[in-house]
Amino acid sequence: MVFLQGMTLENHSGARAVLKAPWAYRMLQALVGKSRALRHLHESVWSIQPGFKLIDIGCGPRPMLDSIPFSIDYIGIDLDAAYIASAKAQHGNRGTFLIGTTKDYMDDPRMHGADLILCNGVLHHLPDLEVHELIDFVAKHLKPETGRFTAIEPCHLVFESRLSTWIMNQDRGRFVRSEEAWKQLFSENAGIVYRTRIMANMIRIPYFHVIIDCWKKQ
Ligand SMILES: C[S@@+](CC[C@H](N)C(=O)[O-])C[C@H]1O[C@@H](n2cnc3c(N)ncnc32)[C@H](O)[C@@H]1O
């Protein structure tokens, strides 16, 4: 069955339906080695500095607050109310947790001047139109010059094993794109500059990810 969440299409058919429960989602993440992946991302990709304003789009039920400095001004946004409730129950005193999408907070002054906007495993849930809206949000709210947006998304390679293709196609997100397609989406916004990098073996299953970094155009 396909659920419409706002404009978002997600595949919740078969065994995927159980992932709507925050505990099941957390268990799957533990199985695929999410903690190890998070350590690597902290050390080599995100570089979160004390005092940063950090917006975590699609923060999910278990935001990364255990592993970042207390001085971070953290805003987590997720359209799933149960995930936001779970995040608040764990970390309610450490940040602001908001239900909705970037479209809902486009004109919210709390978003201005972000040092880092993260989007982990979210864009492949969104059709092109919603990705464009999210990039508009990024272009509007990133701090000029130093502010950075980083997304990490599943990505099909020009050549990959059938097993990898099959596993990535089991994702609840219906928009696992090729690197070329990810680049195309980001190249269509004149307000940003971006780069992509491919990452293999980040988790314990044969999956590929693209890291998309972008900055406000000066
Ligand atoms: C694969 S999960 C990733 C969660 C978290 N970022 C992580 O790395 O564990 C995708 C998350 O994006 C949320 N989501 C999907 N579409 C969204 C949208 N348009 N705006 C905000 N959150 C969204 C889902 O509810 C879900 O929590």
Side-chain angles (χ1 to χ4, degrees):
M1 188 188 297
V2 174
F3 279 58
L4 271 173
Q5 297 192 322
M7 281 290 287
T8 304
L9 287 162
E10 281 194 342
N11 186 352
H12 289 272
S13 60
R16 298 174 190 91
V18 78
L19 295 177
K20 287 297 288 171
W23 64 266
Y25 180 78
R26 287 198 295 268
M27 190 182 287
L28 177 70
Q29 289 195 320
L31 284 174
V32 300
K34 182 79 186 280
S35 309
R36 199 191 103 219
L38 276 178
R39 274 199 301 280
H40 173 74
L41 293 172
H42 274 293
E43 285 161 17
S44 312
V45 179
W46 290 331
S47 175
I48 300 172
Q49 304 299 318
F52 263 17
K53 176 188 270 200
L54 192 168
I55 303 176
D56 189 3
I57 303 170
C59 61
R62 190 188 171 198
M64 52 172 52
L65 279 158
D66 284 334
S67 47
I68 63 175
F70 264 89
S71 59
I72 297 293
D73 176 6
Y74 177 93
I75 300 174
I77 301 175
D78 201 293
L79 58 70
D80 188 313
Y83 282 1
I84 286 291
S86 165
K88 267 188 185 163
Q90 295 165 78
H91 299 295
N93 58 341
R94 293 275 320 265
T96 305
F97 296 93
L98 304 168
I99 300 169
T101 71
T102 49
K103 197 173 178 186
D104 300 318
Y105 299 101
M106 186 64 90
D107 299 320
D108 188 323
R110 289 175 293 182
M111 308 295 149
H112 290 344
D115 296 286
L116 185 61
I117 301 182
L118 296 181
C119 196
N120 301 317
V122 180
L123 299 179
H124 72 289
H125 292 264
L126 309 185
D128 291 2
L129 179 69
E130 286 191 47
V131 176
H132 286 305
E133 285 167 359
L134 192 146
I135 301 172
D136 288 344
F137 173 92
V138 167
K140 176 165 181 179
H141 293 296
L142 268 186
K143 191 182 262 183
E145 295 182 20
T146 54
R148 175 170 47 95
F149 165 83
T150 297
I152 298 176
E153 296 297 328
C155 181
H156 288 300
L157 302 187
V158 174
F159 180 81
E160 63 194 16
S161 70
R162 283 190 194 166
L163 179 62
S164 292
T165 306
W166 182 83
I167 292 178
M168 286 195 271
N169 287 344
Q170 301 315 302
D171 201 286
R172 287 185 296 172
R174 301 174 73 84
F175 303 94
V176 177
R177 300 172 172 93
S178 66
E179 186 183 12
E180 221 34 55
W182 287 119
K183 284 181 169 173
Q184 180 63 37
L185 280 173
F186 279 78
S187 68
E188 287 165 11
N189 189 307
I192 53 129
V193 289
Y194 74 95
R195 71 169 177 197
T196 59
R197 293 173 283 170
I198 295 292
M199 190 161 50
N201 304 328
M202 186 177 78
I203 53 178
R204 289 197 189 108
I205 51 176
Y207 224 83
F208 302 104
H209 291 87
V210 63
I211 304 173
I212 308 164
D213 294 306
C214 70
W215 299 264
K216 241 181 184 153
K217 198 175 261 176
Q218 301 306 319

